[in-house]
Amino acid sequence: RIQNGATMTVENANITNNDYVFVLGASDGSSAGNLVINGGSYKGETTVASVTKGLLTINGGEFSLSSAYENNYNFLINCIDANYKDGTAKVEIKGGKFYSFNPENNAAEGAGTDFCPDGYTTIYDAPENSYTVINAVAKIGETYYATLSSAIAAVKNGETIEFIANINENVTIKQYANKSFTIDGAGK
């Protein structure tokens, strides 16, 4: 348990636990704790990290649950619901691979929970049933895309694709001839 305002950084650890791997904040909610994870492998029984109060920042690593709970990954990363809603329990996922759990669209804090901050998105790997968090390269409105091709496939007539990173990707626009949209290079 990380609490009393402490901040802990974990670098490239390999941790398996029969319960929660990390808990942030006092169980009664009286104090917060902060955790930064930079790489490694983490396997919990029902949850890898639970935030009572504080900030969990994940920059990389692999995250999964034990085989006993492999079909119930809703709470792989989780917060106390009321504290998440009032902003005292926070999660920012900026990197890493998550098995059977989409950090960008999950049910941990209700349907559609997005733990990825602006500028990040996920790529799904079907054979592994995993989601990898990466820097996005483009966005349409408030939705981020890993590739220009995926943004063009999703864009609707009249919308604008905005670059948020430098892009080096070959795209054939001809296949999208029936769409009318704008690409804003945003100086990238």
Side-chain angles (χ1 to χ4, degrees), residues 110-169:
T113 299
D114 184 356
F115 290 139
C116 296
D118 288 350
Y120 294 86
T121 191
T122 58
I123 296 176
Y124 180 64
D125 181 335
E128 287 190 340
N129 192 23
S130 68
Y131 296 85
T132 301
V133 178
I134 63 165
N135 289 314
V137 299
K139 72 177 189 169
I140 301 169
E142 296 303 314
T143 303
Y144 292 88
Y145 295 90
T147 64
L148 178 57
S149 296
S150 62
I152 291 173
V155 71
K156 293 178 177 56
N157 283 327
E159 290 184 325
T160 298
I161 297 172
E162 180 182 345
F163 290 173
I164 59 171
N166 291 326
I167 298 172
N168 184 9
E169 179 182 348

Side-chain angles (χ1 to χ4, degrees), residues 7-11 34-38 55-59:
T7 298
M8 181 170 89
T9 300
V10 179
E11 303 279 347
N34 302 303
L35 173 64
V36 178
I37 299 175
N38 296 320
L55 171 63
L56 168 63
T57 303
I58 298 175
N59 296 315

